Structures are given as C-alpha cells and as structure tokens.
Amino acid sequence: MTATRTPKTKILFVCAGNTCRSPMAEMIFKTICKRHHRTGVMVRSAGTAAEVGADMMPEAMIALQDAGITIAKKPHRAQQYLPKMQHQYDYIFDLRDYADPYGNGQAAYDAVCAKLFVDLEALYQQIFDLKNPHPVLC
C-alpha cells in the first residue's frame, strides 16, 4: 500500500523589498496556522523590487518579537518575486495597501504588525474555515 501525500496549500505574501511587510506577514501567518494546528501549509514571501539576500529590517523583527513570535535561528533573506510564482502558489497576497514602515521608526512597524495579526487571522478563516475560493486580504 502506498502512502498518499496530501497536497500543501501554498501561500505567498508580496511587498516591495521583502524586508518588512511580507516577511512579517509570512511569520505571522505561520504562527496563526500553528495556533490552529493547521498542517500542510507552505507560507513564503517575496518582493517586487527585492535586494536578493537582504536581511529583514531589525524593526520588523522587534515588532514580531514584541507580538510574541520567536524569530527562527535561520535568518530571513529577501527574495525577488518572479512571474513564474503565479503558477507555484494557490494564493498570492499583495501587501501594497499596508503602509510601508521602512524608515518611519519602530511605531510604524508595530502598527503594521498589529494590523497584519488581525487581518491575517480573518484571512485564515476565509481560506480554511469557510473554504473561500477567493479570499481577500483587507
């Protein structure tokens, strides 16, 4: 008897540089999935104008840690959004509607982090609990 693999739900968060909003969204959504005991989800992030390999902004890491998220020992490295990614993910969410906190101080990062927590919990509900084929990130 052969074991069947359950396909993963693949989710991508995209912003400009992949050093602030999208990596915060990635880590927050992973945390939400863990809290709901949801397995079989792959969450990644990318940037439309990323400096490939750049570190996550320290302010973003502080905002996440202050919100109770443990930062992985393997550091985040920015990756470029590529057109082929459209076909590799089940859901791609554009974070341009969120104010870019880059260069605006810790309070701006904290505000984006707090808003992402609320919005991504609602998004989780749309994707997994309601099985909405077209979830919207508010």
Side-chain angles (χ1 to χ4, degrees):
M1 183 174 197
T2 311
T4 24
R5 296 186 78 194
T6 305
K8 286 188 175 191
T9 300
K10 298 175 186 171
I11 299 169
L12 181 68
F13 293 102
V14 180
C15 68
N18 193 221
T19 59
C20 303
R21 295 167 290 179
S22 58
M24 285 196 295
E26 175 185 346
M27 291 181 188
I28 291 168
F29 202 80
K30 285 178 179 178
T31 299
I32 291 169
C33 288
K34 285 180 188 173
R35 188 174 61 233
H36 287 282
H37 307 288
R38 172 71 57 182
T39 59
V41 181
M42 182 184 81
V43 184
R44 298 288 186 265
S45 63
T48 57
E51 181 183 321
V52 176
D55 293 332
M56 184 189 308
M57 294 301 296
E59 296 92 340
M61 290 189 284
I62 291 168
L64 290 168
Q65 290 171 330
D66 288 350
I69 294 179
T70 303
I71 304 296
K73 290 183 181 184
K74 182 180 175 187
H76 168 81
R77 298 284 183 230
Q79 71 168 345
Q80 181 66 37
Y81 174 80
L82 303 171
K84 70 180 182 180
M85 290 177 169
Q86 293 177 38
H87 308 290
Q88 297 172 336
Y89 290 87
D90 300 304
Y91 302 102
I92 299 175
F93 297 101
D94 183 350
L95 298 170
R96 285 182 292 185
D97 286 342
Y98 289 79
D100 188 351
Y102 185 82
N104 292 316
Q106 188 62 50
Y109 285 86
D110 295 343
V112 169
C113 185
K115 181 161 177 41
L116 283 170
F117 256 104
V118 171
D119 292 350
L120 293 178
E121 179 63 42
L123 182 68
Y124 175 90
Q125 299 298 326
Q126 288 183 50
I127 293 172
F128 297 112
D129 290 348
L130 300 177
K131 308 224 184 309
N132 184 343
H134 304 289
V136 176
L137 180 59
C138 300

